[in-house]
Amino acid sequence: MSEYWRRVQDFQTDTEQQIVFDEDVSRVVIAGPGSGKTYLLTTKVAKLLHTSIVNLPHRIACLTYSNFLANQLREDLQTLQVLDDERIFVGTVHSFCIAEVILPFQKLYQLRVPDILRIASWEEMIWATKQALIVQNLNPPDRNKLEDLTRKLSNYRRLYWDTNRKDFPENSISISQLFPKLNWAQLAEDYSNFLWGEENPSVDFVHLEIEALKTIQSHKLVQQSLAARFPWWVIDEYQDLGQPFHQMMLCLLQNTEMQLLAIGDPDQCIYEELQGSKPELIYELSKVIQAHGGSDLITLKTNYRSIQDIIDLSEVVLGEERGYLANASIDAIQPTCISYHMSRPSFQSKLIRKLLNELTQDKGLQLDQIAILHPFRNGVASLNEISYMLDGRNWANMLDKDPDYNDRRVKLVEWVEQLAQWCAKEHISSRPYFTDLLPVWIELLENHQGYSLLEERFRQEKYLFEGLWNLRDETMNLREWLESLRENLKLDPIIKSYEVIRPDDAKEFFHLCDVVQTGRRLPNWDVARFAKSGKRIQLTTLHSSKGAQFEAVILAGFDRIGFGERKYSPEALDKRLAYVGVTRAKKYLYLLHSDQGAHFVSRVTEASTGPFQTHK
């Protein structure tokens, strides 16, 4: 039986999933943790390709929040053997806006984007914020506060894309105290003008979102063109996509015959401070869909990931009951959901090692089935410090974002990691496939050479394959591997030319090359460590843990999440962040904290199924 038909049979045991799968109408789906939303979403895409989107030029837009989540969708679509179909666009909102709105209509409507689309670097964004402050006769603050202001400005522009709006919620006491008379609307306009006025004009991703939104709202031709090319839109993690994209969807729903399946969970909306996302947007979307002939909102009630004890505890964390139930087929085991109070934060390392020994020796888990989550990457007893401790004790581990390289998580360095993964894997028939490596390689070459490859494409694909083939050794020293890669592919001049349009990507690539040569840790790595292959304990922040799941989760720094005690964060957001962390666990959950008296921690520890323990 094919994977597709096996899933179709599975849906027959889940009433809500069956309804969403069967009915080909616009709908919003609330999908709690472990509800099988990716499983359902990708299978729905496969069904639409069989029944509705049969021939080009009709396509499906399958969009989500991040590259990590987009890769998850691609992998699951590959399992269903539909990923390579030209009738699907799978990617982020940014990539869709560029490929399907900005570039096709740039000349026709004289959009405010550079002729050569150049994305501003982080340093350029900070510089533009600084110059915009000076225009208002405000003295720029120190580097950390200037970075914070730059992020807040991105939030302002996403929340108030309409330039006629002059208000901005004072959600940052630090910023409002520093600049009580700050004119946010003027700051946003001056910031964009400074980026645009440079010798090499540039824009940031927020500008591209807003420019795409304005183009869609202003031109009926664009609306009709998008709806004709993409009669079906399937959106994952809708609650995280923010106001500009939300307004795009409302405009298209109200003015075209497009169909939309949006899946998300307001309880997991954790990017308000970072991206300006809002949990209520998904409910507003549902009302618009219903008003235009779509179906009612539906909630997936079954949790296929976690045992019931963890589900119940997650509702205590959230402070609200949701009524989610564990799938009856989950193994009946003795759950472990224990809160550990440490009399001193310095005892955290000893406690983590104790728990790892218990999980691997007593419970028989593999290292890659275990995750350590923490609210913060840096600082005392933070995620990076935990990684250094594990390295010193020879526990194989993997940080989701290494402190020594790729600080901006740019596409180019992720591609180099993907090359390493291809070289490190044991079987050439497993992912990543060689074809997964080609899009970025072709993009680099076309930018370097200044023209489309077309007839030359096969020769360049062969060139990449030959350049990688002799580097397929996971035990090879990373420094030697990267030097050979740069030499075999003649990468340096190609990346130098790419710097013109993607300065952050080029900067992070050459920084990686430097730290591999002279850094404290990377010169000793092999390709397998860099490729994040093999069985390793997974280390990630709560924000970055979205979309992941593990047999066991050690949530360190539980009392540092905030729960309303952080100065600049609303209590609801803190609860949702804790909720995301707790619901990553399937069977075993350990909460580590040093503040036993905090009201929220006390409430959660009382609900734990295991004994409350103090570690001394």
Side-chain angles (χ1 to χ4, degrees):
M1 180 184 297
S2 70
E3 174 66 14
Y4 174 81
W5 288 111
R6 186 182 68 79
R7 295 187 183 191
V8 171
Q9 287 191 348
D10 286 345
F11 294 149
Q12 295 176 10
T13 63
D14 187 314
T15 302
E16 291 82 16
Q17 286 190 345
Q18 183 76 56
I19 292 172
V20 175
F21 180 76
D22 284 344
E23 296 182 1
D24 292 342
V25 292
S26 292
R27 183 192 295 278
V28 168
V29 179
I30 302 297
S35 59
K37 67 177 181 60
T38 301
Y39 188 88
L40 173 61
L41 183 149
T42 53
T43 313
K44 180 75 172 186
V45 168
K47 178 197 173 187
L48 291 172
L49 291 174
H50 290 308
T51 59
S52 301
I53 312 300
V54 178
N55 297 309
L56 289 170
H58 292 163
R59 303 174 68 195
I60 300 173
C62 187
L63 308 181
T64 190
Y65 170 73
S66 67
N67 286 319
F68 171 76
L69 295 174
N71 288 333
Q72 283 191 330
L73 293 177
R74 291 188 186 99
E75 290 183 9
D76 208 48
L77 287 167
Q78 185 69 50
T79 303
L80 293 167
Q81 299 182 338
V82 296
L83 177 59
D84 296 328
D85 199 303
E86 294 181 353
R87 295 170 292 163
I88 315 174
F89 181 104
V90 183
T92 62
V93 169
H94 291 140
S95 63
F96 184 87
C97 287
I98 292 172
E100 303 296 336
V101 182
I102 299 295
L103 295 181
F105 297 102
Q106 179 179 2
K107 300 295 185 183
L108 179 61
Y109 295 118
Q110 297 181 333
L111 304 185
R112 196 171 190 266
V113 294
D115 290 337
I116 299 176
L117 186 56
R118 183 179 188 274
I119 305 300
S121 70
W122 179 235
E123 291 299 322
E124 289 168 330
M125 293 165 64
I126 294 171
W127 171 84
T129 304
K130 180 179 179 180
Q131 300 307 310
L133 284 173
I134 294 173
V135 170
Q136 297 189 42
N137 297 316
L138 299 171
N139 293 324
D142 60 41
R143 170 74 182 210
N144 288 338
K145 288 186 174 64
L146 196 56
E147 289 190 357
D148 185 34
L149 180 58
T150 303
R151 296 186 186 97
K152 295 292 182 186
L153 182 58
S154 293
N155 270 2
Y156 167 80
R157 294 160 64 214
R158 282 192 175 95
L159 288 168
Y160 300 98
W161 70 95
D162 182 354
T163 53
N164 294 321
R165 292 287 296 270
K166 304 300 182 184
D167 55 330
F168 181 68
E170 298 295 340
N171 63 345
S172 173
I173 298 175
S174 63
I175 295 298
S176 62
Q177 287 179 344
L178 193 61
F179 301 115
K181 296 182 179 180
L182 180 62
N183 184 323
W184 286 92
Q186 182 184 343
L187 186 74
E189 182 178 356
D190 291 337
Y191 163 88
S192 296
N193 288 338
F194 276 112
L195 288 181
W196 187 263
E198 285 294 280
E199 182 179 349
N200 293 318
S202 60
V203 294
D204 61 13
F205 284 115
V206 179
H207 178 90
L208 293 175
E209 285 183 67
I210 296 173
E211 196 69 15
L213 169 60
K214 290 179 178 178
T215 304
I216 292 170
Q217 289 180 328
S218 303
H219 302 288
K220 190 70 174 179
L221 173 63
V222 178
Q223 299 167 15
Q224 293 172 341
S225 174
L226 286 173
R229 282 182 290 159
F230 298 97
W232 263 99
W233 299 58
V234 180
I235 314 298
D236 187 26
E237 301 289 358
Y238 191 89
Q239 76 282 347
D240 292 328
L241 298 181
Q243 276 280 12
F245 182 75
H246 176 62
Q247 294 301 320
M248 292 181 209
M249 294 299 98
L250 297 187
C251 179
L252 292 172
L253 283 168
Q254 292 164 347
N255 293 286
T256 73
E257 298 299 319
M258 65 168 281
Q259 300 291 322
L260 171 64
L261 173 64
I263 299 182
D265 183 8
D267 292 335
Q268 297 185 70
C269 183
I270 59 175
Y271 295 113
E272 286 186 72
E273 291 182 320
L274 302 177
Q275 301 290 348
S277 56
K278 293 290 183 182
E280 60 266 22
L281 297 184
I282 197 166
Y283 295 113
E284 182 181 347
L285 176 71
S286 181
K287 291 179 181 178
V288 172
I289 285 177
Q290 292 174 50
H292 288 79
S295 291
D296 296 342
L297 179 146
I298 193 169
T299 300
L300 306 182
K301 287 293 188 180
T302 304
N303 185 320
Y304 294 90
R305 174 190 302 161
S306 303
I307 57 175
Q308 191 64 47
D309 294 281
I310 291 177
I311 297 171
D312 294 341
L313 183 68
S314 71
E315 294 187 348
V316 175
V317 169
L318 193 61
E320 297 183 46
E321 293 185 6
R322 291 291 181 256
Y324 296 133
L325 297 174
N327 181 32
S329 65
I330 292 179
D331 293 338
I333 63 163
Q334 180 62 42
T336 302
C337 187
I338 302 178
S339 170
Y340 281 90
H341 171 247
M342 299 170 292
S343 56
R344 296 181 185 177
S346 58
F347 292 164
Q348 176 177 271
S349 296
K350 184 176 179 181
L351 178 54
I352 287 175
R353 296 197 301 272
K354 172 182 178 295
L355 295 175
L356 291 176
N357 282 322
E358 176 183 326
L359 288 169
T360 55
Q361 296 176 17
D362 298 343
K363 302 187 184 304
L365 295 188
Q366 300 294 318
L367 294 183
D368 59 343
Q369 296 175 309
I370 304 169
I372 300 175
L373 311 184
H374 198 285
F376 304 111
R377 294 188 187 279
N378 300 306
V380 177
S382 64
L383 198 67
N384 290 342
E385 290 298 321
I386 293 172
S387 178
Y388 295 144
M389 178 273 294
L390 294 176
D391 283 343
R393 298 286 178 160
N394 294 320
W395 284 96
N397 68 94
M398 181 183 75
L399 278 162
D400 66 316
K401 181 180 177 182
D402 195 276
D404 289 344
Y405 71 95
N406 204 15
D407 181 59
R408 301 290 298 164
R409 293 307 301 171
V410 299
K411 178 175 69 173
L412 183 57
V413 175
E414 290 179 345
W415 178 68
V416 176
E417 290 178 343
Q418 197 176 31
L419 297 182
Q421 290 163 7
W422 189 82
C423 291
K425 65 181 182 175
E426 182 177 352
H427 301 291
I428 199 168
S429 59
S430 60
R431 294 196 74 120
Y433 304 128
F434 180 71
T435 52
D436 296 330
L437 314 178
L438 294 176
V440 174
W441 173 240
I442 298 302
E443 179 186 352
L444 289 170
L445 288 175
E446 289 184 339
N447 176 76
H448 179 60
Q449 297 177 186
Y451 57 84
S452 178
L453 293 180
L454 295 177
E455 296 178 0
E456 192 183 337
R457 182 178 177 118
F458 177 75
R459 182 172 65 83
Q460 294 294 358
E461 292 175 355
K462 180 173 179 287
Y463 180 68
L464 175 64
F465 184 85
E466 292 173 343
L468 290 176
W469 185 255
N470 291 329
L471 300 180
R472 295 186 68 251
D473 180 0
E474 67 173 12
T475 65
M476 190 175 184
N477 176 265
L478 177 59
R479 178 169 52 187
E480 178 185 350
W481 180 86
L482 189 56
E483 287 176 350
S484 299
L485 180 74
R486 295 166 70 185
E487 181 179 349
N488 290 356
L489 301 180
K490 305 294 187 291
L491 266 183
D492 285 14
I494 296 174
I495 303 304
K496 283 287 186 183
S497 63
Y498 196 60
E499 186 175 18
V500 174
I501 61 170
R502 292 293 178 93
D504 269 346
D505 286 68
K507 176 184 176 182
E508 292 293 344
F509 173 80
F510 288 116
H511 174 67
L512 170 64
C513 296
D514 288 341
V515 296
V516 166
Q517 291 288 339
T518 62
R520 180 161 62 102
R521 301 159 59 241
L522 271 66
N524 300 318
W525 283 14
D526 56 20
V527 173
R529 175 71 187 267
F530 178 69
K532 302 175 181 177
S533 67
K535 298 187 183 303
R536 303 176 185 276
I537 301 165
Q538 310 293 298
L539 275 68
T540 182
T541 62
L542 295 178
H543 279 97
S544 296
S545 69
K546 279 282 293 287
Q549 57 184 7
F550 309 94
E551 294 293 317
V553 166
I554 300 172
L555 205 168
F558 187 57
D559 56 309
R560 296 176 62 186
I561 298 174
F563 308 118
E565 297 168 12
R566 277 209 322 254
K567 216 170 189 181
Y568 313 122
S569 176
E571 181 179 358
L573 176 56
D574 292 323
K575 289 180 178 179
R576 293 198 297 269
L577 191 58
Y579 179 74
V580 166
V582 167
T583 55
R584 300 309 95 194
K586 294 182 179 181
K587 297 178 181 178
Y588 309 107
L589 175 65
Y590 304 90
L591 307 177
L592 278 50
H593 57 87
S594 58
D595 187 5
Q596 184 177 354
H599 70 283
F600 189 92
V601 172
S602 299
R603 206 167 74 237
V604 171
T605 56
E606 290 172 2
S608 301
T609 57
F612 178 83
Q613 300 187 19
T614 297
H615 190 77
K616 298 181 179 180

